[in-house]
Amino acid sequence: MAIKVCKFGGTSMADGNVIKSVKNIIDGDMDRRFIIVSAPGKRYSGDIKVTDLLYDSYNALVSGGDFKKAFAAVKARYVSIVKELNLNFDINSVLEETEGRIIKERSEDFTASRGEYLCARIVAGVLNAKFIDAENVIFFDENGALNGEKSYKAVAEAVKDAPRAVFPGFYGVDGRGADGKVKTFSRGGSDISGAIVARAVHASMYENWTDVSGFLACDPRIVDSPRRIKSISYKELRELSYMGANVLHSESIFPVRRANIPINIKNTFRPEDEGTLILPTSRYTPCGNIVTGVAGKKNFTVIFIEKSLMNSEVGFIADVLNVLKKEGVPVEHIPSGIDTMSLVVESECLQGEKLNRVIEEIKQSVEPDVVRVIENIALIATVGHGMSSSVGTSSRLFSAIAAANINVKMIDQGSSEINIIVGVSNNDYEKCIKAIYREFFV
Ligand code: ADP
Ligand code: ASP
Ligand code: MG
C-alpha cells in the first residue's frame, strides 16, 4: 500500500474547527498514515503564533519578567482548542506538567518546542493515533546538524506497528545520548521534520498542507494572486525557498530528494485544489514559462573590494574569505570581476562592531585600493530551468527593472544557470518583484 506523509502547518492547526477539517482530510485517504504538525499559528491577521508566545514566555522567564502571565496566553490557546474539539483530553494537567518542565529546563529550544509537542498530543487524540515524540526519534549530531541515518532508523522502528501516528514537528534531540537536550530546527522547521518522516517510512508522497493552493510564482503578499506553479523541480524549489519563498523550509528537500519522494503542496482550506508537485528534474514537466518563479529577501550588506591586478594575486580571495571565517561570518554570494569582488552577507551577521572589524582586517590582510560598504540591500532571485536555453532573458529582466526606475546595485548569475540574482535597495524590493513578475507572467 502506498504511504503518504502529511505535514500540517500553523494555520492548519490554528483552532479546533480547522483541526476538524484536517481530520476530514486525513480520513479521506487511507494512505495518509503519518502526520506531522506545527504549533497553532495565527487565527486572524494580528493574532500571535503559539511559537512566538513561547519565545516571549522564555524571555520573561530568563529576564525576570512575568513568565506566568506570558505562559497563560499559551495555555489559553490550547484550552480553547480542546474545548472546540469537544475532546476528552486532560489538557490542564498536560499544560501544568509542561510549565513545570519549562521552568526546570530553562532552555529556549525546549520552551519553543512545546508548541508542537502539545499540538501533536491533541491531534493524536483527535485521530486516535499513536503519538511519537520527536525527542525520541529525530537526532542531531555533535555539530548541531541533523543525524539523518540515526533518525530514519528510529522513526521506522517507532511506526512499525502503528497504522497511523502523529509526530510533533520542529524539534529533535541533540547528540549527547541519554543526556541529550531538546533542540529545534530554525523557524519553519516542521517542514524538515515532515521530510525526515517521509524518507524514513519510504513514503510515496510527502504532502505539505498549508494555507495557499501551492507554490506561487511569487510572494502573494507582494503581488495579488500570483500564478500557481503546477510542477517544479527540487533544484528550482531549493533556489526559490532559500531566497525567501518560505512556503517550504529550504532545507526540507534534502531528505526526500535522495529518495526521489515527490512533495505536494496543498491547501487545507481548499483541499480539492491540485496544489504544486515538486519532483526530480528528470521527472518533472517544465511549466512552459521561461521563468518559474521570483523570490527575495531584504537586509543584506555588500562589501565591495577593488584592487588592480587582483586576479593575478594568488590567494587574494582566500585571504579575504579567511577574515570572514575568523569572524564567523557566513557569506551568501561572491560576485566578482577582474579587479573587483563583492561579499554579500546578511546584515544581522555584521552587527555591533563586527562590520568595522571585518573591514579593518580586510584592509590589513590584502591591502585593497578601495573597500566600500553598501547597506540595506535586498536580493531578488529570478529562477527557472527555461532561462538558460532562452536567448535574451537577462536583457528582458534588466529592461523591466530599469523601466521601473530601479537601480541595480549588484548582479550574480551563479553557476547553476537557472538563477539570476539582483541586489537592489531595500526600498525597491516590492517594486522590483512586481516589475519582474509583470515582465514574465502577465
Ligand atoms: P505553514 O504555517 O503552513 O508552514 P507558512 O506561513 O510557513 O505556512 O508558509 C505559507 C505562506 O508562505 C503563505 O501564506 C504565503 O504568504 C507565503 N509565501 C511566500 N512566498 C510564497 C510563494 N512563492 N508561494 C506561496 N506562498 C508563499
Ligand atoms: N512553529 C515553528 C515556527 O513557527 C515551526 C514551524 O511552524 O514549522 O517556526
Ligand atoms: Mg512553514
Side-chain angles (χ1 to χ4, degrees):
M1 199 167 86
I3 297 176
K4 289 181 182 162
V5 165
C6 306
K7 178 257 169 177
F8 289 88
T11 18
S12 310
M13 292 289 131
D15 63 32
N17 289 325
V18 199
I19 296 178
K20 283 182 198 160
S21 334
V22 166
K23 177 174 162 45
N24 286 338
I25 289 170
I26 296 165
D27 288 344
D29 185 342
M30 293 289 286
D31 295 345
R32 294 188 174 126
R33 291 180 47 199
F34 303 118
I35 318 300
I36 295 85
V37 297
S38 285
K42 294 183 184 184
R43 292 159 291 184
Y44 44 84
S45 111
D47 195 15
I48 307 176
K49 288 176 162 194
V50 164
T51 308
D52 292 318
L53 293 174
L54 286 163
Y55 282 118
D56 290 346
S57 305
Y58 174 76
N59 289 334
L61 181 68
V62 292
S63 65
D66 194 343
F67 167 74
K68 289 266 171 205
K69 187 172 167 210
F71 193 67
V74 175
K75 285 182 176 168
R77 288 292 300 267
Y78 289 100
V79 168
S80 83
I81 287 174
V82 169
K83 205 164 154 203
E84 282 156 353
L85 287 166
N86 211 0
L87 191 67
N88 184 13
F89 180 80
D90 186 2
I91 186 68
N92 287 313
S93 320
V94 180
L95 284 167
E96 220 158 275
E97 188 192 320
T98 302
E99 187 170 358
R101 217 177 139 193
I102 288 176
I103 295 170
K104 190 164 147 256
E105 302 247 348
R106 251 183 126 74
S107 139
E108 185 173 40
D109 281 20
F110 178 79
T111 307
S113 74
R114 295 305 88 183
E116 273 68 13
Y117 168 82
L118 292 163
C119 194
R121 295 275 313 260
I122 293 171
V123 174
V126 171
L127 296 173
N128 203 6
K130 181 176 180 185
F131 166 77
I132 299 176
D133 197 341
E135 191 175 349
N136 301 322
V137 292
I138 306 271
F139 298 97
F140 294 93
D141 64 21
E142 309 70 45
N143 303 319
L146 172 73
N147 185 336
E149 292 314 316
K150 192 172 170 187
S151 307
Y152 305 143
K153 240 167 122 183
V155 170
E157 182 61 33
V159 301
K160 228 169 44 193
D161 302 313
R164 258 185 189 177
V166 180
F167 298 77
F170 192 37
Y171 71 95
V173 67
D174 76 9
R176 281 175 287 162
D179 295 332
K181 291 255 184 288
V182 162
K183 176 178 158 55
T184 63
F185 292 103
S186 54
R187 296 299 303 265
S190 301
D191 292 330
I192 310 174
S193 313
I196 295 167
V197 174
R199 167 82 174 269
V201 303
H202 305 287
S204 54
M205 180 69 79
Y206 171 26
E207 291 183 341
N208 192 288
W209 291 83
T210 182
D211 60 355
V212 276
S213 291
F215 212 105
L216 307 172
C218 72
D219 190 330
R221 291 162 297 188
I222 298 176
V223 168
D224 216 16
S225 312
R227 197 187 295 180
R228 173 178 63 94
I229 303 171
K230 264 179 106 156
S231 156
I232 182 172
S233 71
Y234 290 136
K235 214 166 160 180
E236 289 172 322
L237 171 85
R238 167 83 178 138
E239 300 276 358
L240 287 167
S241 57
Y242 185 74
M243 283 304 295
N246 48 14
V247 56
L248 201 66
H249 193 293
S250 67
E251 287 165 34
S252 56
I253 63 161
F254 295 116
V256 289
R257 185 170 67 180
R258 280 289 292 276
N260 277 338
I261 300 167
I263 308 172
N264 192 186
I265 309 228
K266 297 275 287 174
N267 188 346
T268 302
F269 303 89
R270 295 174 59 98
E272 59 299 333
D273 287 358
E274 253 178 76
T276 297
L277 257 188
I278 301 157
L279 295 163
T281 313
S282 56
R283 275 171 53 198
Y284 100 120
T285 327
C287 61
N289 219 35
I290 298 170
V291 170
T292 305
V294 186
K297 285 199 262 194
K298 284 184 177 176
N299 299 326
F300 288 88
T301 297
V302 178
I303 303 173
F304 172 85
I305 303 167
E306 183 167 0
K307 186 172 187 186
S308 301
L309 300 174
M310 173 191 291
N311 60 333
S312 57
E313 205 172 301
V314 175
F316 186 95
I317 294 183
D319 289 344
V320 171
L321 290 179
N322 263 331
V323 170
L324 287 116
K325 183 176 173 195
K326 195 178 133 228
E327 289 291 336
V329 175
V331 181
E332 298 292 318
H333 301 276
I334 315 174
S336 60
I338 309 170
D339 296 324
T340 63
M341 70 178 287
S342 296
L343 301 162
V344 185
V345 176
E346 282 198 59
S347 304
E348 70 169 13
C349 302
L350 291 169
Q351 273 172 357
E353 271 307 297
K354 201 159 240 182
L355 177 60
N356 287 340
R357 257 200 331 265
V358 165
I359 302 297
E360 278 317 306
E361 286 175 39
I362 288 176
K363 283 183 182 163
Q364 277 174 22
S365 166
V366 295
E367 299 177 347
D369 301 334
V370 178
V371 184
R372 211 171 47 236
V373 175
I374 315 165
E375 292 186 276
N376 302 319
I377 293 293
L379 297 186
I380 296 168
T382 304
V383 175
H385 284 291
M387 284 167 37
S388 58
S389 55
S390 168
V391 180
T393 308
S394 21
S395 107
R396 277 179 69 188
L397 176 71
F398 291 111
S399 305
I401 298 174
N405 215 1
I406 297 166
N407 184 9
V408 174
K409 297 180 185 272
M410 189 213 82
I411 300 167
D412 188 6
Q413 173 145 24
S415 50
S416 71
E417 285 200 345
I418 67 163
N419 196 357
I420 299 177
I421 294 172
V422 294
V424 301
S425 147
N426 273 345
N427 295 334
D428 287 329
Y429 173 70
E430 283 86 4
K431 200 160 100 180
C432 189
I433 292 210
K434 282 185 181 139
I436 300 172
Y437 183 81
R438 219 178 303 121
E439 174 64 30
F440 291 101
F441 292 93
V442 179

